Amino acid sequence: MDQISIPNSISFILMEVCKLRRAMSDSMLNEIGLHVGQEMFFVSILHEEGATQSEIAEHLHVQRATVTNMLRRLEEGKLIERRGDPNDQRLLRVYLTDKGRAIQQQLQQVWYIIEDQTTQNMTPEERLLFRRLLLQAQQNLLTHQHSAP
């Protein structure tokens, strides 16, 4: 690999993009009762209601303790509830509450605004290519993460 200064590297620029996106999301999410980071858990639950905490952790590639803490906060906000599994009392399954369902459309709108601002001035083809390249980078990192000693 060619030597490149850190500020000009893809990783540095990607981290800057993530920080800018996070800052933009913060105020928009606060308006609908979520905090940065909670939206990923919320979306995961939305798409797989009844998932266990372990399943959510695996899907989001985070530690189970992170899921426990985030779910506690969402539960305190009355956006989700955890219920025992009727077939296995050791398991807790996660469901959206009515209040959680009520903000679903608002979250979708926030997501569209951020997506649109992030990809502004890109053609549809460039957006598809950008998405494909990000997915490839994600897969590369997941592969290396799982193969690390």
Side-chain angles (χ1 to χ4, degrees), residues 118-149:
T118 301
T119 59
Q120 191 174 358
N121 298 321
M122 289 184 194
T123 65
E125 294 79 16
E126 289 169 331
R127 287 179 185 213
L128 285 172
L129 177 60
F130 185 54
R131 182 180 182 282
R132 186 182 68 72
L133 293 171
L134 287 172
L135 286 169
Q136 182 62 57
Q138 178 188 42
Q139 187 59 49
N140 292 345
L141 294 172
L142 285 172
T143 299
H144 289 293
Q145 177 185 13
H146 294 303
S147 66

Side-chain angles (χ1 to χ4, degrees), residues 48-63:
E48 202 171 330
E49 263 201 277
T52 65
Q53 293 177 202
S54 295
E55 290 166 342
I56 294 168
E58 185 176 324
H59 179 255
L60 294 176
H61 310 288
V62 297
Q63 298 294 317

Side-chain angles (χ1 to χ4, degrees), residues 13-28:
I13 295 167
L14 185 57
M15 286 189 58
E16 287 293 313
V17 168
C18 290
K19 286 192 303 189
L20 291 166
R21 187 215 176 275
R22 182 181 178 96
M24 178 184 289
S25 316
D26 190 39
S27 64
M28 294 173 77

Side-chain angles (χ1 to χ4, degrees), residues 26-42:
D26 190 39
S27 64
M28 294 173 77
L29 290 170
N30 286 337
E31 288 179 22
I32 63 170
L34 289 174
H35 299 286
V36 171
Q38 289 180 327
E39 79 275 19
M40 298 304 291
F41 288 85
F42 187 86

Side-chain angles (χ1 to χ4, degrees), residues 54-109:
S54 295
E55 290 166 342
I56 294 168
E58 185 176 324
H59 179 255
L60 294 176
H61 310 288
V62 297
Q63 298 294 317
R64 289 178 62 190
T66 303
V67 173
T68 300
N69 290 332
M70 192 62 74
L71 293 181
R72 181 181 43 76
R73 290 186 196 118
L74 289 170
E75 200 168 34
E76 287 169 359
K78 310 251 188 272
L79 297 172
I80 62 120
E81 62 183 1
R82 292 182 268 192
R83 298 184 222 147
D85 184 300
N87 300 319
D88 186 345
Q89 292 302 311
R90 297 171 296 170
L91 297 177
L92 286 176
R93 299 208 171 265
V94 183
Y95 298 90
L96 293 175
T97 62
D98 289 340
K99 182 178 177 182
R101 284 186 218 303
I103 69 166
Q104 176 182 347
Q105 193 153 9
Q106 294 170 296
L107 177 59
Q108 190 74 45
Q109 187 63 31

Side-chain angles (χ1 to χ4, degrees), residues 1-16:
M1 184 166 112
D2 294 334
Q3 291 293 326
I4 187 167
S5 71
I6 291 174
N8 291 322
S9 70
I10 292 169
S11 295
F12 188 89
I13 295 167
L14 185 57
M15 286 189 58
E16 287 293 313

